[in-house]
Amino acid sequence: MAARDYGQYSGVSRAMELVGERWALLIVRDLLVGPRRYGELAEGLPRIPSNILAARLKELQSAGVIRRAPRSRVIVYELTPYGRELEPVVLAFGAWGFKAMGQPRDEQVITPDSLTMDLRTTFRAQVAAKLPPTAYAAQFGGAELLIRVKGRTLDVTRGDGPADLAFVAGPDIHLLILGELAPARAITTGVIKVLHGRADLLDRFASTFNLVA
C-alpha cells in the first residue's frame, strides 16, 4: 500500500489522497486567486517549511492539479483545468469553516490571497445582481484590497483605488458577514471605521457578502 493510500475505492478517499495533505488545499486556495511564484506562495503561507512547500508542489504537479509555467522570464505555479475544478469545493469548504472562525489569535495573519478567497466565499451574486455597481476600498489587518462589484461579477485586486466606500475593518468583521452584527452597529462600535465615502453603503456590503442562513 502506497503512502497516503486509504485502501478504499472511493471518490472522497481518492480526493484526500491527492489534496488532503497538510497545506495542499491552502496552496490551491492561493492559486485560485492567480498564478504565483515559489516565493509568493511561501510569503502567503509564512508558517510552511520550505521543504514541505517544495514537496506539496511536487505532489500536486504529479497529480495534475498544478503545473509550472514561464511568465515574464520567471517560473510560476498555476492550476491546471483539472485543478480549477476544485474551486467550488474550496469555496464550500471555506464557507463551512468561516462559521467557526471566531476571533483571530495574535499569531494569526490575514493575507491578501486568503482574504480574497474569503470574499469570494461569502459573495452573493444573486443579491449583487439587483444592486448598483459598487467599489469598496477595504483594509483588513495588513491586507488592503479594492473590491469591485458589478452585477454578478466580483473583482478583487490588491491595493487602493477610487471607491464609493473606504473602510478599515476590525477583527469582528466576521460577525457582520454572519449576520450577527448590524452594519450601523459595526460603525458605532468601531468594528468598521469609515475613511471616506457613503457610510450607508456598508448595508450594501453586508448584503452582498454574507453567510446568513
Side-chain angles (χ1 to χ4, degrees):
M1 183 179 295
R4 297 186 303 280
D5 186 329
Y6 291 99
Q8 296 183 2
Y9 190 67
S10 156
V12 173
S13 61
R14 184 56 180 149
M16 289 296 295
E17 289 165 1
L18 295 178
V19 296
E21 285 294 290
R22 191 179 185 197
W23 300 105
L25 271 184
L26 293 183
I27 293 171
V28 171
R29 177 202 65 186
D30 286 1
L31 291 179
L32 281 168
V33 179
R36 295 287 181 265
R37 297 193 301 271
Y38 182 94
E40 291 173 327
L41 288 169
E43 182 181 359
L45 301 169
R47 285 197 172 189
I48 188 171
S50 59
N51 63 316
I52 297 299
L53 176 56
R56 292 296 171 268
L57 291 172
K58 184 176 180 180
E59 291 163 1
L60 290 170
Q61 281 182 263
S62 297
V65 176
I66 69 173
R67 62 191 171 202
R68 285 161 49 96
R71 294 284 177 88
S72 302
R73 299 181 181 179
V74 299
I75 297 296
V76 299
Y77 293 89
E78 63 181 12
L79 292 169
T80 63
Y82 180 53
R84 292 207 68 85
E85 291 178 16
L86 282 165
E87 181 168 6
V89 177
V90 173
L91 293 179
F93 203 50
W96 185 72
F98 194 96
K99 298 172 183 177
M101 285 202 308
Q103 292 285 350
R105 299 188 300 274
D106 291 341
E107 71 274 14
Q108 290 182 312
V109 299
I110 298 174
T111 68
D113 285 349
S114 69
L115 183 54
T116 295
M117 290 304 294
D118 279 345
L119 289 168
R120 286 168 62 177
T121 293
T122 59
F123 180 58
R124 292 295 172 259
Q126 70 276 18
V127 174
K130 302 175 184 177
L131 299 171
T134 312
Y136 308 92
Q139 298 176 33
F140 304 83
E144 189 175 72
L145 298 177
L146 182 61
I147 307 160
R148 300 184 184 93
V149 179
K150 184 176 182 180
R152 292 178 173 270
T153 302
L154 170 64
D155 179 56
V156 182
T157 55
R158 297 189 185 193
D160 201 356
D164 302 295
L165 171 64
F167 63 88
V168 178
D172 282 335
I173 181 67
H174 71 286
L175 298 178
L176 180 71
I177 293 172
L178 290 172
E180 299 175 9
L181 181 67
R185 181 67 176 166
I187 293 174
T188 58
T189 57
V191 172
I192 298 291
K193 179 183 178 182
V194 175
L195 300 178
H196 62 78
R198 291 171 46 195
D200 64 293
L201 289 178
L202 189 61
D203 290 88
R204 187 179 299 175
F205 178 89
S207 297
T208 305
F209 300 92
N210 73 72
L211 287 176
V212 179

